[in-house]
Amino acid sequence: MNDAMEYENFMKVAFRVQRCSDYAQMADASVFDCQPIEVIKVAVQYAMGYYSERLTGQISEEFLQRMLSAVRNAENKTEIIQVIHLFQKQVS
């Protein structure tokens, strides 16, 4: 699976996206491909925060802050996907 599709899958799960939802726009592989890295960072950080609110008690605040920091410090989109993998591994 390519990075854009992995981004899309994460965003859909994080927001439980339906076609008509406000988040459907962010949860699309074309966003990952077309938008600058700063836009992707903000979207993924927001998704992680939203996801963690739904998983109250399953992930620590410290872990979430480390993941958010790693996304913020990512130098390219592939690094963001790696952080998404770590996050998903922890919450699964």
Side-chain angles (χ1 to χ4, degrees), residues 1 9 18-20 22-23 26 33 36 43 46 54-55 64 71 77-80 88-89:
M1 185 179 313
N9 288 340
Q18 299 172 3
R19 273 178 208 252
C20 60
D22 292 338
Y23 299 111
M26 289 184 354
D33 289 334
Y46 185 73
R54 289 195 348 246
L55 299 172
L64 176 61
V71 171
K77 292 178 182 179
T78 299
E79 287 182 14
I80 295 171
Q88 288 174 320
K89 185 176 181 182

Side-chain angles (χ1 to χ4, degrees), residues 46-60:
Y46 185 73
M48 286 181 173
Y50 189 84
Y51 206 137
S52 69
E53 286 179 15
R54 289 195 348 246
L55 299 172
T56 304
Q58 291 183 354
I59 61 173
S60 70

Side-chain angles (χ1 to χ4, degrees), residues 28-75:
D28 189 276
S30 65
V31 169
F32 186 84
D33 289 334
C34 298
Q35 293 296 321
I37 190 170
E38 294 307 318
V39 172
I40 302 305
K41 286 180 178 183
V42 170
V44 170
Q45 289 176 72
Y46 185 73
M48 286 181 173
Y50 189 84
Y51 206 137
S52 69
E53 286 179 15
R54 289 195 348 246
L55 299 172
T56 304
Q58 291 183 354
I59 61 173
S60 70
E61 183 64 26
E62 178 186 344
F63 174 77
L64 176 61
Q65 291 306 316
R66 282 196 330 251
M67 295 295 98
L68 296 175
S69 179
V71 171
R72 201 171 24 257
N73 295 327
E75 294 182 9

